[in-house]
């Protein structure tokens, strides 16, 4: 399962943050394949400064 992190210096948090889902329980959103995660990552670049895809071992496999 892949997850996405984003970086937005305007948010006041200067760290990479996980893309989360859920209203009350903010859990990292997981993607079953790299292709689906890349598509979602590409869509985030317009809202945030940078985004990246993390593989199950914690390695960065894609970034924009």
């Amino acid at each position: 399962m892949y997850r996405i992190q984003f970086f937005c210096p305007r948010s006041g948090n200067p760290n990479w943050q996980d893309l989360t889902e859920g209203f009350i329980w903010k859990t990292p959103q997981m993607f079953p394949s790299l292709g689906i995660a890349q598509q979602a990552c590409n869509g985030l670049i317009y809202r945030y400064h940078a985004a990246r895809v993390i593989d199950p071992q914690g390695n960065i496999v894609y970034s924009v």
Side-chain angles (χ1 to χ4, degrees):
M1 299 293 282
Y2 295 87
R3 61 188 169 96
I4 294 177
Q5 291 183 330
F6 63 90
F7 180 75
C8 183
R10 293 175 291 174
S11 71
N13 187 351
N15 301 315
W16 286 91
Q17 303 172 51
D18 284 326
L19 181 65
T20 58
E21 61 185 353
F23 184 69
I24 296 174
W25 307 106
K26 301 282 185 177
T27 58
Q29 188 172 0
M30 304 302 277
F31 298 89
S33 72
L34 179 58
I36 295 170
Q38 284 177 328
Q39 289 177 348
C41 188
N42 289 338
L44 293 175
I45 196 63
Y46 298 106
R47 277 193 284 167
Y48 304 113
H49 181 74
R52 63 188 183 187
V53 176
I54 309 294
D55 72 1
Q57 289 78 32
N59 301 314
I60 300 168
V61 292
Y62 181 76
S63 64
V64 290

